[in-house]
Amino acid sequence: MGHGVSELVLELNGRTWPLDPSRSYTVGRDPQGDMVLDDARVSWRHATVRWAGHSWIIEDQGSTNGTYVQGRRIHQMEIGPGATVHLGNATDGPRVSLSAGAAQAADAYRAQPATAPPQQAAPGWQAPPAHRQPGQQSWQAPPAEQQPYVPPQQARQAPPRQAAPAPQAARPQESPARQPDGEAPPVHGDRSPTMFHRLDLGRVMRIGRALENELVVSDLQVSRHHAEFRATPDGRFEIRDLGSHNGTYVNGQPVPKSGTKPIGPNDIIGVGHSTFRLVGDRLEEFVDTGEVSFSARHLTVTVDGGKQILKDVSFGVPEKSLIAVIGPSGSGKSTLLKALTGYRPANEGDVLYDNRNLYKQFAELRQRIGLVPQDDILHKELTVAKALKYAAKLRFPGDTAESEREARIGEVLRELKLDIHKDKKVTSLSGGQRKRVSVALELLTKPSLIFLDEPTSGLDPGMDRDVMQLLRGLADDGRTVLVVTHSVAELALCDKLLVMAPGGGVAYFGPPGEALNFFQYDTWADVFSAFENYRDYDWMGRWRGSPHYQIYAADIDAVAAQSVAVQPPPARMQKSQSWGSQLWTLMRRYVSVLASDRGFLALMVALPAVLGVVSILIPSDYGFGYGPDNKSRTNRDASTIMLVLAVGMCFSGAANSVRELIKERVIYERERATGLSRSAYLMSKVIVLGVVTAFQGLIITAIGFTPRTMPAEGLLLAHLPAVEMALAVIALGLTSMMFGLVISALVRTAEKTMPLLVMFAIVQVVFTGVLFQLFDTVGVSQFSWLMPSRWAVAAMGATADMNTLLPWDPGNPAQGIPANPDPLWKHQTGVYVMDMIILTCLGLALAFAVARLLRRHEPEVMRK
C-alpha cells in the first residue's frame, strides 16, 4: 500500500477482494476480468474500480444496463466505506459492497490551464459597428463594402475601439474531427463498442428486456421480447422483429413488424437506445448513454416566395454540453429549433446525431430527442404524479409493467427534486416548478438530446437561475442540452453560445465568456441594439472572417452537406402502444382532466338545465299536440319550442368542444411526434365529449318535454314519440360538438373560438326552417342542408307532423289549390329515418374534416 492509503475491501457474490491502489480492477462477464459475474444484465466489461490519487472511484465502462448508486445511474463516482453499488439493475442487480475504507488521501494536484497566446485576426475579420456611449462625440464606421446607411446628420468621427483579443485555443475534443474527403464518418464517432457478442451459425440470439433473453437490454423503450438475430442457410445473418412496440431499425428504417431483414457488415441495427453492428461473426453493441456528439451543417430554410429565414447555419458541440441560442426577433431561433429537432427539416443541410443523419433516420432517432416547448406540455388540472403516469403509459411499450413505469417516474421525480410535489396539482406549482415537470415528462424516456424553447420566459430572475442551473445539471449528468432563450443573465453556465443575427445567419458561436469581447460591446443590450440599428450589416460575414470562427466552427463548416435541397420522406412511425391501448389511456386521462375541473362539471349540468327551463317559459296550452281547430289543427307554439330546444342543444354541444383542441395544441404536437395516433386522440375526444353531450341532451329534453303534451304517436317508436324527438336533439348535440371541434382545429388562439361559437349558434337559428319558409327557395334551401339544426328540427317535425302544426302553404282543396308542405317534415317513417341518417353523415363528415385539420397542429415532418 502507498503512503496514506489503507486497504479497501470489496465484497461481491460472497467473495471479498482487498484492493491494491497500484492497479485497477475490472468487473463484468469477461472470464479474463478480475471480478467475474455470470449475470445476463451485466456487460462483458461492465465497470472498473481504481485509486484516483485521492480516493477510490468506480467507473462505468459504457455498460448496456448501467451502474447504480442509491437508485441513480452513474458513470463515475467516488466510493468509500459503506458504499453500495448495483450492477445492471438499480434494485436487484448484483450488489457490490465496500466494507473497509482508505486512509486520508494526499491532496490531489490541480493543474492550472495554460493560457493560449494571442492569435492574429484571420483575414477578412471586421470590427462591428461601434457603440456610441453617452456623451461620445464620434464613432468609427465599418468598411465601405459592409457599411450600413447612416443619415448625414448622424455621421460622426470617433477614435476606434480597441480590437478584441483572439480567444484561447479550443480543447481538441470540442471540435468534431473532420473526415478525409470521400471517407464516410464513423458510425459512432470515436466511441468504442460497449460490448461484444458472438453469433454462431446454429444459434438464435434473442434481444429484449426480459431476463430469459440471450441479450438482455434494461431499457423501457425495448419490448420484453423485442427481436432476434439468426443465421440464414447461406451463412449470412438477418434480424427478425418479434412484434416489438417501438420497432427494430436497420440503418434508421423500420423492419416490418414481425418481419425479417438481412444485415451486412455496414448495417446499423437499432433497438431502443442500443445499436448493433455485425463484424464477421461478432456483434458489436453501442449503448447510447447520452454522451453523444451533435452537429448542424449548412442548415438553410426557405419559405414560399424564396425568402430564406435560416441561412447556412453550421455548428458542432461535444457530448455533455449546454448550449444557449440567443438573438433578436426575426433571427430564426424558432426555425432553427424545428430544424434541429426534425419537426421542420431544413430545405438544405444535415443534422447529425452521433454522426447519424437525423432527417434520414428520424423514425428511430426521434425517441432519443426530448423537446420542451415554451408552453407547458402537460394538463395543469392533473397532479404531477398523474400527469407523468399518463405520459409514461403513452410513451412506454405496451408490455411495460406498472411497477416499471412507477419506478422510472420515481427516478425522474427524485432527480429533479419534484418528489415532494408529486401529489400537487400542476396549477398550484410555481412557474419554475411547472417547467421542471415539463422537463421530467421528457426525461421519462432517457433522451440524449434535450431542446428547450424559452423555458425561462415569464419567470423572475431567481427562477431563471434555478431553471438554468437545472439544465446545467442535466448536461453534467450525460446529456446534450440546447436552450433557446431571451434571458442573458445566466449565460455563464453554458458551455457554448450561439448568437443568431437578423436574417437567420450566425453572428457568433463559442464560449459565452468571450462573446461580448468578440462584439466589442459592454452589455448584451448594446449588442441587441446594434442588431436592430444595423440590420443590413453583414454580421455573418464578419463572423466567418474572425479567429473565433477558425477555432470553433471552421471544421464543421468545411464539411459539405450530405443531403441538399430535397429530404426523403420520413419512415413509418412506430407506435409504442396499440391503437386500442392508446385510446383507453387517452380516454382515462381526459376523464381525469374533466373530473378535476369542478367549474366545467357545474357548467355541464347548469347550461342544459337553464336552456331547458327557458323552453318551458314559452306559453303553450297544447305543447306538441294539435290545436283546437279541428280543420287545420295548427299549433305554432310547438315550432317555437322546437326552435329553443334545437338552438340550446347546438350551443351546448359546440361549447363543450370548441376549446378542446386548441388548448391542447402544444401537448398534441409533442405527443404526436412520440408516436401518438391521430385517430385515437380524436376518438378519445369524441367518445368522452359525446357522453357528456348526450347527458346534456337528456337533461334539456327531460325538462323541455315533461310538462308538454307530446304527439299522439311516434313513427319508429309508436308509443314513445318523446324518445324519438329526444334522439334527434341528442344527435343534433353530437353533430354540433363536431362543429365545435372543427372550429377548435381551425383557429390559432383560444380567444378566437367564442366569436365563432356565437356565429355558429346564430346561423343555426336562421336555418332551422322554423322562422321562415326554406324548402322552396333555390340556393337557400340547398345551403340549409349543411346545417345540423335543419335536419334535427326536421326529424322532430316529422314525428310531430309539423306540416300540420305549422302549415306554410296549406293550399285550398275546395278551389283545387294543392298544399305545399316541407318535404323534410312529412309525417312518415322514411322521412324521419332519412333526416337522422343525413344528420349522422354530417357528423361523420365533420369528424373527417377535424382529422384533416389536426395535421396543422402536427410537426411538419409528420404531415408528409
Side-chain angles (χ1 to χ4, degrees), residues 139-156:
W139 64 282
Q140 183 180 9
E145 65 273 11
Q146 297 178 350
Q147 183 173 348
Y149 171 76
V150 181
Q153 63 269 25
Q154 295 183 14
R156 302 173 183 174

PDB file of all heavy atoms in Angstrom, residues 139-156:
ATOM      1  N   TRP A 139     -17.955  58.118 -33.881  1.00  0.00           N
ATOM      2  CA  TRP A 139     -17.925  56.665 -33.992  1.00  0.00           C
ATOM      3  C   TRP A 139     -17.179  56.284 -35.246  1.00  0.00           C
ATOM      4  O   TRP A 139     -17.031  57.053 -36.169  1.00  0.00           O
ATOM      5  CB  TRP A 139     -19.353  56.084 -33.997  1.00  0.00           C
ATOM      6  CG  TRP A 139     -20.196  56.484 -35.161  1.00  0.00           C
ATOM      7  CD1 TRP A 139     -20.823  57.668 -35.344  1.00  0.00           C
ATOM      8  CD2 TRP A 139     -20.485  55.694 -36.318  1.00  0.00           C
ATOM      9  NE1 TRP A 139     -21.489  57.694 -36.521  1.00  0.00           N
ATOM     10  CE2 TRP A 139     -21.306  56.494 -37.145  1.00  0.00           C
ATOM     11  CE3 TRP A 139     -20.133  54.410 -36.741  1.00  0.00           C
ATOM     12  CZ2 TRP A 139     -21.780  56.039 -38.363  1.00  0.00           C
ATOM     13  CZ3 TRP A 139     -20.613  53.974 -37.948  1.00  0.00           C
ATOM     14  CH2 TRP A 139     -21.437  54.775 -38.745  1.00  0.00           C
ATOM     15  N   GLN A 140     -16.727  55.023 -35.260  1.00  0.00           N
ATOM     16  CA  GLN A 140     -15.947  54.520 -36.388  1.00  0.00           C
ATOM     17  C   GLN A 140     -16.827  53.653 -37.267  1.00  0.00           C
ATOM     18  O   GLN A 140     -17.477  52.727 -36.801  1.00  0.00           O
ATOM     19  CB  GLN A 140     -14.757  53.684 -35.887  1.00  0.00           C
ATOM     20  CG  GLN A 140     -13.865  53.205 -37.028  1.00  0.00           C
ATOM     21  CD  GLN A 140     -12.714  52.383 -36.506  1.00  0.00           C
ATOM     22  OE1 GLN A 140     -12.695  52.045 -35.341  1.00  0.00           O
ATOM     23  NE2 GLN A 140     -11.756  52.074 -37.341  1.00  0.00           N
ATOM     24  N   ALA A 141     -16.895  53.948 -38.541  1.00  0.00           N
ATOM     25  CA  ALA A 141     -17.755  53.198 -39.460  1.00  0.00           C
ATOM     26  C   ALA A 141     -17.093  51.896 -39.865  1.00  0.00           C
ATOM     27  O   ALA A 141     -15.883  51.768 -39.890  1.00  0.00           O
ATOM     28  CB  ALA A 141     -18.034  54.041 -40.705  1.00  0.00           C
ATOM     29  N   PRO A 142     -17.883  50.897 -40.221  1.00  0.00           N
ATOM     30  CA  PRO A 142     -17.318  49.659 -40.767  1.00  0.00           C
ATOM     31  C   PRO A 142     -16.792  49.899 -42.163  1.00  0.00           C
ATOM     32  O   PRO A 142     -16.983  50.966 -42.736  1.00  0.00           O
ATOM     33  CB  PRO A 142     -18.519  48.715 -40.761  1.00  0.00           C
ATOM     34  CG  PRO A 142     -19.693  49.614 -40.850  1.00  0.00           C
ATOM     35  CD  PRO A 142     -19.332  50.864 -40.115  1.00  0.00           C
ATOM     36  N   PRO A 143     -16.107  48.933 -42.735  1.00  0.00           N
ATOM     37  CA  PRO A 143     -15.569  49.110 -44.085  1.00  0.00           C
ATOM     38  C   PRO A 143     -16.662  49.472 -45.074  1.00  0.00           C
ATOM     39  O   PRO A 143     -17.824  49.155 -44.884  1.00  0.00           O
ATOM     40  CB  PRO A 143     -14.941  47.746 -44.392  1.00  0.00           C
ATOM     41  CG  PRO A 143     -14.694  47.126 -43.054  1.00  0.00           C
ATOM     42  CD  PRO A 143     -15.747  47.649 -42.151  1.00  0.00           C
ATOM     43  N   ALA A 144     -16.272  50.067 -46.163  1.00  0.00           N
ATOM     44  CA  ALA A 144     -17.244  50.599 -47.128  1.00  0.00           C
ATOM     45  C   ALA A 144     -18.150  49.516 -47.675  1.00  0.00           C
ATOM     46  O   ALA A 144     -19.343  49.713 -47.852  1.00  0.00           O
ATOM     47  CB  ALA A 144     -16.503  51.306 -48.271  1.00  0.00           C
ATOM     48  N   GLU A 145     -17.580  48.339 -47.951  1.00  0.00           N
ATOM     49  CA  GLU A 145     -18.401  47.309 -48.571  1.00  0.00           C
ATOM     50  C   GLU A 145     -19.424  46.720 -47.600  1.00  0.00           C
ATOM     51  O   GLU A 145     -20.322  46.019 -47.999  1.00  0.00           O
ATOM     52  CB  GLU A 145     -17.513  46.179 -49.127  1.00  0.00           C
ATOM     53  CG  GLU A 145     -16.733  45.393 -48.066  1.00  0.00           C
ATOM     54  CD  GLU A 145     -15.408  46.060 -47.751  1.00  0.00           C
ATOM     55  OE1 GLU A 145     -15.207  47.197 -48.191  1.00  0.00           O
ATOM     56  OE2 GLU A 145     -14.574  45.418 -47.105  1.00  0.00           O
ATOM     57  N   GLN A 146     -19.285  46.971 -46.278  1.00  0.00           N
ATOM     58  CA  GLN A 146     -20.214  46.434 -45.301  1.00  0.00           C
ATOM     59  C   GLN A 146     -20.885  47.549 -44.503  1.00  0.00           C
ATOM     60  O   GLN A 146     -21.580  47.283 -43.548  1.00  0.00           O
ATOM     61  CB  GLN A 146     -19.493  45.500 -44.322  1.00  0.00           C
ATOM     62  CG  GLN A 146     -18.904  44.272 -45.008  1.00  0.00           C
ATOM     63  CD  GLN A 146     -18.170  43.395 -44.017  1.00  0.00           C
ATOM     64  OE1 GLN A 146     -17.953  43.773 -42.889  1.00  0.00           O
ATOM     65  NE2 GLN A 146     -17.790  42.216 -44.468  1.00  0.00           N
ATOM     66  N   GLN A 147     -20.673  48.776 -44.894  1.00  0.00           N
ATOM     67  CA  GLN A 147     -21.113  49.896 -44.087  1.00  0.00           C
ATOM     68  C   GLN A 147     -22.617  50.120 -44.193  1.00  0.00           C
ATOM     69  O   GLN A 147     -23.166  50.234 -45.266  1.00  0.00           O
ATOM     70  CB  GLN A 147     -20.398  51.169 -44.551  1.00  0.00           C
ATOM     71  CG  GLN A 147     -20.747  52.397 -43.714  1.00  0.00           C
ATOM     72  CD  GLN A 147     -19.879  53.563 -44.106  1.00  0.00           C
ATOM     73  OE1 GLN A 147     -18.908  53.374 -44.810  1.00  0.00           O
ATOM     74  NE2 GLN A 147     -20.226  54.740 -43.649  1.00  0.00           N
ATOM     75  N   PRO A 148     -23.338  50.121 -43.035  1.00  0.00           N
ATOM     76  CA  PRO A 148     -24.762  50.415 -43.086  1.00  0.00           C
ATOM     77  C   PRO A 148     -25.007  51.882 -43.361  1.00  0.00           C
ATOM     78  O   PRO A 148     -24.164  52.732 -43.093  1.00  0.00           O
ATOM     79  CB  PRO A 148     -25.239  50.028 -41.670  1.00  0.00           C
ATOM     80  CG  PRO A 148     -24.036  50.219 -40.814  1.00  0.00           C
ATOM     81  CD  PRO A 148     -22.849  49.874 -41.673  1.00  0.00           C
ATOM     82  N   TYR A 149     -26.181  52.165 -43.898  1.00  0.00           N
ATOM     83  CA  TYR A 149     -26.521  53.548 -44.194  1.00  0.00           C
ATOM     84  C   TYR A 149     -26.787  54.310 -42.903  1.00  0.00           C
ATOM     85  O   TYR A 149     -27.500  53.842 -42.019  1.00  0.00           O
ATOM     86  CB  TYR A 149     -27.762  53.616 -45.080  1.00  0.00           C
ATOM     87  CG  TYR A 149     -28.294  55.022 -45.239  1.00  0.00           C
ATOM     88  CD1 TYR A 149     -27.644  55.918 -46.081  1.00  0.00           C
ATOM     89  CD2 TYR A 149     -29.409  55.439 -44.527  1.00  0.00           C
ATOM     90  CE1 TYR A 149     -28.118  57.213 -46.219  1.00  0.00           C
ATOM     91  CE2 TYR A 149     -29.883  56.724 -44.658  1.00  0.00           C
ATOM     92  CZ  TYR A 149     -29.232  57.616 -45.512  1.00  0.00           C
ATOM     93  OH  TYR A 149     -29.698  58.894 -45.641  1.00  0.00           O
ATOM     94  N   VAL A 150     -26.193  55.474 -42.777  1.00  0.00           N
ATOM     95  CA  VAL A 150     -26.413  56.354 -41.635  1.00  0.00           C
ATOM     96  C   VAL A 150     -26.716  57.737 -42.174  1.00  0.00           C
ATOM     97  O   VAL A 150     -25.975  58.248 -43.023  1.00  0.00           O
ATOM     98  CB  VAL A 150     -25.171  56.412 -40.700  1.00  0.00           C
ATOM     99  CG1 VAL A 150     -25.447  57.318 -39.526  1.00  0.00           C
ATOM    100  CG2 VAL A 150     -24.817  55.020 -40.219  1.00  0.00           C
ATOM    101  N   PRO A 151     -27.813  58.373 -41.704  1.00  0.00           N
ATOM    102  CA  PRO A 151     -28.103  59.728 -42.182  1.00  0.00           C
ATOM    103  C   PRO A 151     -26.934  60.663 -41.924  1.00  0.00           C
ATOM    104  O   PRO A 151     -26.224  60.536 -40.919  1.00  0.00           O
ATOM    105  CB  PRO A 151     -29.333  60.128 -41.352  1.00  0.00           C
ATOM    106  CG  PRO A 151     -29.960  58.820 -40.959  1.00  0.00           C
ATOM    107  CD  PRO A 151     -28.819  57.868 -40.796  1.00  0.00           C
ATOM    108  N   PRO A 152     -26.702  61.620 -42.827  1.00  0.00           N
ATOM    109  CA  PRO A 152     -25.536  62.507 -42.688  1.00  0.00           C
ATOM    110  C   PRO A 152     -25.496  63.232 -41.360  1.00  0.00           C
ATOM    111  O   PRO A 152     -24.426  63.418 -40.793  1.00  0.00           O
ATOM    112  CB  PRO A 152     -25.693  63.469 -43.866  1.00  0.00           C
ATOM    113  CG  PRO A 152     -26.546  62.739 -44.850  1.00  0.00           C
ATOM    114  CD  PRO A 152     -27.454  61.892 -44.060  1.00  0.00           C
ATOM    115  N   GLN A 153     -26.650  63.608 -40.845  1.00  0.00           N
ATOM    116  CA  GLN A 153     -26.623  64.372 -39.613  1.00  0.00           C
ATOM    117  C   GLN A 153     -26.194  63.520 -38.423  1.00  0.00           C
ATOM    118  O   GLN A 153     -25.866  64.042 -37.368  1.00  0.00           O
ATOM    119  CB  GLN A 153     -28.009  64.976 -39.325  1.00  0.00           C
ATOM    120  CG  GLN A 153     -29.102  63.936 -39.110  1.00  0.00           C
ATOM    121  CD  GLN A 153     -29.792  63.582 -40.394  1.00  0.00           C
ATOM    122  OE1 GLN A 153     -29.189  63.742 -41.467  1.00  0.00           O
ATOM    123  NE2 GLN A 153     -31.024  63.110 -40.312  1.00  0.00           N
ATOM    124  N   GLN A 154     -26.182  62.178 -38.606  1.00  0.00           N
ATOM    125  CA  GLN A 154     -25.776  61.308 -37.509  1.00  0.00           C
ATOM    126  C   GLN A 154     -24.331  60.830 -37.654  1.00  0.00           C
ATOM    127  O   GLN A 154     -23.792  60.213 -36.749  1.00  0.00           O
ATOM    128  CB  GLN A 154     -26.699  60.083 -37.446  1.00  0.00           C
ATOM    129  CG  GLN A 154     -28.140  60.436 -37.113  1.00  0.00           C
ATOM    130  CD  GLN A 154     -28.982  59.200 -36.999  1.00  0.00           C
ATOM    131  OE1 GLN A 154     -28.457  58.095 -36.917  1.00  0.00           O
ATOM    132  NE2 GLN A 154     -30.295  59.379 -36.973  1.00  0.00           N
ATOM    133  N   ALA A 155     -23.724  61.074 -38.810  1.00  0.00           N
ATOM    134  CA  ALA A 155     -22.373  60.576 -39.043  1.00  0.00           C
ATOM    135  C   ALA A 155     -21.368  61.385 -38.236  1.00  0.00           C
ATOM    136  O   ALA A 155     -21.333  62.605 -38.297  1.00  0.00           O
ATOM    137  CB  ALA A 155     -22.040  60.663 -40.525  1.00  0.00           C
ATOM    138  N   ARG A 156     -20.525  60.700 -37.469  1.00  0.00           N
ATOM    139  CA  ARG A 156     -19.517  61.373 -36.651  1.00  0.00           C
ATOM    140  C   ARG A 156     -18.224  60.571 -36.717  1.00  0.00           C
ATOM    141  O   ARG A 156     -18.228  59.392 -37.037  1.00  0.00           O
ATOM    142  CB  ARG A 156     -19.981  61.462 -35.195  1.00  0.00           C
ATOM    143  CG  ARG A 156     -21.327  62.203 -35.045  1.00  0.00           C
ATOM    144  CD  ARG A 156     -21.834  62.115 -33.624  1.00  0.00           C
ATOM    145  NE  ARG A 156     -23.140  62.747 -33.506  1.00  0.00           N
ATOM    146  CZ  ARG A 156     -23.871  62.726 -32.396  1.00  0.00           C
ATOM    147  NH1 ARG A 156     -23.432  62.088 -31.340  1.00  0.00           N
ATOM    148  NH2 ARG A 156     -25.036  63.323 -32.369  1.00  0.00           N
TER     149      ARG A 156
END
